[in-house]
Amino acid sequence: MDLQFLGGAGEIGRSALLIDDSLLLDYGMETSTPLRYPVGDVDPDAVVVSHGHLDHAGAVPALLAGDARPPIHWTPPTRDLATVLAKDTLKLHGTSPQVPFTDEHVRRVSQVSETHGYREPFEAAGYEITFFDAGHIPGSAHVLIDDGDTRLLYTGDFHTASQRLVAGTTARPDADVVVTESTYADVTHDPRTAVEERFVDLLRTTVWEGGTVVVPAFAIGRTQEVMLICEAHDVDCYVDGMGTRVTDLFRRHPDFVRDSDALRRAASHARVVDGRDGQRERIAAQNTVVVTTSGMLSGGPAMTYVPAIADNPVNAVALTGYQVEGTPGRDLLETGSAEFDGRVLPVSARVEQFDFSAHADDAGLRSVLEAYRDSEVLVVHGDDCAGFASDLRADGFDADAPAVGDEHTV
């Protein structure tokens, strides 16, 4: 197999891997300013998408420009998430030159979409493909590609520990080559139960003291995880933003979540906000918990809620995900202030961060890779791919870290 790394190598974002100029794995976008996309011109015979996050699926409609109509293979939740994300990208950026697709291209996605479940082999561009549950978000998949001579495992993003929303991956299919993510290769996650207990304690204590907690959360996966936690611990909450639509989407695919009944209860437990008639300002004045997008305070209803509670030290902002450098969420953590609607606002409210990551940490990554000591390992999707590959080599692995634009034969 001839591999071309068009994005996501030596970086996090715009993942794309082309095999033999024929099969394309993922086609994501990096939500930087300006937006960034995979390099080079690509005209694949078929596309396989590992999961429905922007950095893996965000640019897929652009593949359907002109006369190109490659079939797109994914799980049902990934198909639906990619469509929601594409529409949201157009809503945010409109007809900006930054976006290489239009509403028409998004409509074409449904015409070429082919969905598959886990462990159900299918054919694409002459390869046998099999999806395995990656334990990252609903519908996320490890992708096994078999050309009859070589078996390549593309891990996508994965987690080995169980979350309330999805169970951790246990799949270890035989493979000659592994292309692995490495997002948290230098991190050890705290035990999930301990993080959850600390989180719930902050929510309860703040409300008991008369404050409001704003919980910025990613729409896909994290909002639903926080909703499940709140329901399990009987903590009242409101839910606002795109995460409400994603919750409805996940409920339409009960076979891809860990406990569909628990998700149903969580959705019933939370009060959904539509934002009309000053509703958000009234809610922010209550002693309550508000789960809302965006997870890094870069947009969404959080831009209303956080300024509304900022000046009272009894209130709290509970960040539930990684804060990328340069985002308001990262500024808030490091400086105690952040930019909202063009002005820098000091935040007197308590600010805490909780590690509810949906990625495997160093131990999780190694627990999966241990099954592939005799395989070639190519490290991608991380801030220090080369460093992790070096550590693996020191531990006896045949490991390397390609860069964007590199070609590699396996």
Side-chain angles (χ1 to χ4, degrees), residues 6 48 69 110 137 206 306 397 403:
L6 308 182
V48 175
R69 297 292 186 277
S110 64
I137 60 172
T206 302
V306 174
F397 285 85

Side-chain angles (χ1 to χ4, degrees), residues 88-360:
D88 192 60
T89 297
L90 289 172
K91 180 180 176 182
L92 288 172
H93 300 283
T95 56
S96 163
Q98 289 193 58
V99 182
F101 57 84
T102 66
D103 287 316
E104 173 58 28
H105 300 142
V106 176
R107 284 191 289 271
R108 291 175 186 173
V109 169
S110 64
Q111 300 169 9
V112 298
S113 175
E114 299 185 23
T115 59
H116 311 275
Y118 296 133
R119 299 176 184 269
E120 299 173 358
F122 60 92
E123 187 275 336
Y127 302 86
E128 183 181 88
I129 313 292
T130 310
F131 289 149
F132 297 86
D133 188 350
H136 179 56
I137 60 172
S140 62
H142 302 306
V143 183
L144 183 67
I145 303 102
D146 189 345
D147 69 357
D149 294 316
T150 302
R151 290 165 62 89
L152 183 146
L153 179 66
Y154 177 77
T155 69
D157 293 351
F158 67 92
H159 203 354
T160 51
S162 291
Q163 307 166 67
R164 287 187 177 269
L165 184 61
V166 291
T169 181
T170 58
R172 308 288 191 274
D174 289 341
D176 306 299
V177 184
V178 179
V179 179
T180 181
E181 71 127 313
S182 58
T183 314
Y184 283 101
D186 59 348
V187 170
T188 298
H189 294 318
D190 289 336
R192 178 58 67 106
T193 53
V195 176
E196 188 171 308
E197 288 172 4
R198 187 165 63 89
F199 176 69
V200 171
D201 182 65
L202 175 70
L203 304 187
R204 285 177 169 163
T205 300
T206 302
V207 172
W208 181 80
E209 291 177 347
T212 297
V213 187
V214 176
V215 184
F218 307 134
I220 299 173
R222 198 59 43 81
T223 290
Q224 297 75 37
E225 186 76 7
V226 173
M227 290 170 62
L228 285 160
I229 292 169
C230 286
E231 193 280 330
H233 293 273
D234 197 24
V235 174
D236 291 337
C237 69
Y238 288 92
V239 179
D240 200 348
M242 182 179 164
T244 61
R245 279 186 289 156
V246 175
T247 301
D248 292 339
L249 184 160
F250 286 158
R251 291 187 64 195
R252 293 196 296 270
H253 299 290
D255 292 343
F256 290 88
V257 298
R258 184 179 179 186
D259 187 337
S260 59
D261 288 337
L263 185 59
R264 174 188 54 78
R265 292 194 302 271
S268 299
H269 177 81
R271 287 168 284 181
V272 175
V273 180
D274 59 26
R276 291 180 292 192
D277 303 323
Q279 185 184 23
R280 290 175 177 133
E281 289 78 3
R282 292 194 299 275
I283 291 170
Q286 299 178 19
N287 307 131
T288 191
V289 174
V290 184
V291 185
T292 185
T293 48
S294 79
M296 297 184 194
L297 302 180
S298 53
M303 306 304 281
T304 297
Y305 289 113
V306 174
I309 71 158
D311 62 354
N312 188 344
V314 176
N315 297 328
V317 178
L319 298 166
T320 58
Y322 179 72
Q323 305 298 306
V324 172
E325 187 173 350
T327 61
R330 181 69 165 265
D331 292 342
L332 182 59
L333 272 176
E334 293 181 347
T335 70
S337 62
E339 184 175 318
F340 296 90
D341 294 327
R343 66 189 181 96
V344 176
L345 179 72
V347 176
S348 298
R350 181 177 176 182
V351 178
E352 296 282 348
Q353 185 176 31
F354 299 88
D355 181 7
F356 286 117
S357 178
H359 290 268

